[in-house]
Amino acid sequence: MPLPAVPRVPSGDIRKVSVSAVLKAQLDADDRRRAPAFDKKTEDRIRACPDRPKTCPVRTPEYQDLTGDGKEDLIVGIEAEDHTVAIWVYMLKGGVVNRILNTAGTPLAVDVTEGKLIMREPTQTPGYEIRTVFGWNRHSQVMEMQATEYDWQSPAATASPGRRP
């Protein structure tokens, strides 16, 4: 989904784009479609990030090539009031910022390996995690879920810090 409200980036370097401008444009686009991603309080905190960084729910952005075009893409995590984390990924197409992934969960970790975004989440079953793999689909021009697996982890590896299994 293109975000024409964000200034074009003729250099093709997504690092030149203000993350705050991207997120505000995304929130505005979601509002116009009547599909808000967050509750009002979280949205207000996102919009206030430049002025109130200590209460900003946006995690430090990451830059990785997820599309295989040799250019970095922008990966942003945003923690909502209920502690779910939205993962939004953006690329530049012809200098225009486009969202290519919109997913959410309660991740233990989010990793990028070999051009894949991998999210690990806890399950209700002790010792198991859900591992979801997202990869680039060049035909649809978005990142899509490619696999969901239930992985066994030793109870010690999934125990909360300070707690014994």
Side-chain angles (χ1 to χ4, degrees), residues 91-160:
M91 73 175 295
L92 290 175
K93 284 187 195 175
V96 177
V97 175
N98 283 261
R99 184 167 67 182
I100 59 172
L101 178 65
N102 175 16
T103 192
T106 53
L108 297 166
V110 177
D111 300 304
V112 174
T113 303
E114 298 178 6
K116 309 284 188 208
L117 187 135
I118 303 165
M119 187 163 60
R120 291 186 311 119
E121 298 181 82
T123 68
Q124 297 294 322
T125 306
Y128 283 90
E129 297 175 354
I130 297 174
R131 182 176 172 271
T132 307
V133 179
F134 297 91
W136 177 245
N137 181 317
R138 64 183 180 90
H139 298 293
S140 62
Q141 295 287 292
V142 295
M143 294 192 69
E144 295 178 342
M145 185 185 321
Q146 294 182 334
T148 299
E149 305 165 345
Y150 289 86
D151 291 337
W152 166 255
Q153 302 293 318
S154 71
T158 58
S160 297

Side-chain angles (χ1 to χ4, degrees), residues 5-80:
V6 177
R8 290 180 59 85
V9 185
S11 70
D13 182 359
I14 200 157
R15 288 180 181 259
K16 304 278 186 209
V17 177
S18 161
V19 173
S20 181
V22 170
L23 297 181
K24 286 179 183 179
Q26 187 66 64
L27 293 172
D28 291 345
D30 291 349
D31 285 346
R32 282 191 300 279
R33 288 189 350 261
R34 292 190 174 97
F38 299 101
D39 59 85
K40 183 70 173 138
K41 184 175 180 181
T42 301
E43 186 174 318
D44 289 346
R45 288 176 54 216
I46 294 166
R47 290 181 186 280
C49 282
D51 299 324
R52 291 187 238 141
K54 290 186 179 185
T55 61
C56 181
V58 180
R59 296 183 178 180
T60 303
E62 295 286 331
Y63 297 89
Q64 298 279 338
D65 180 7
L66 293 170
T67 60
D69 63 359
K71 296 179 183 177
E72 292 180 321
D73 303 302
L74 169 63
I75 305 166
V76 182
I78 306 161
E79 186 170 352

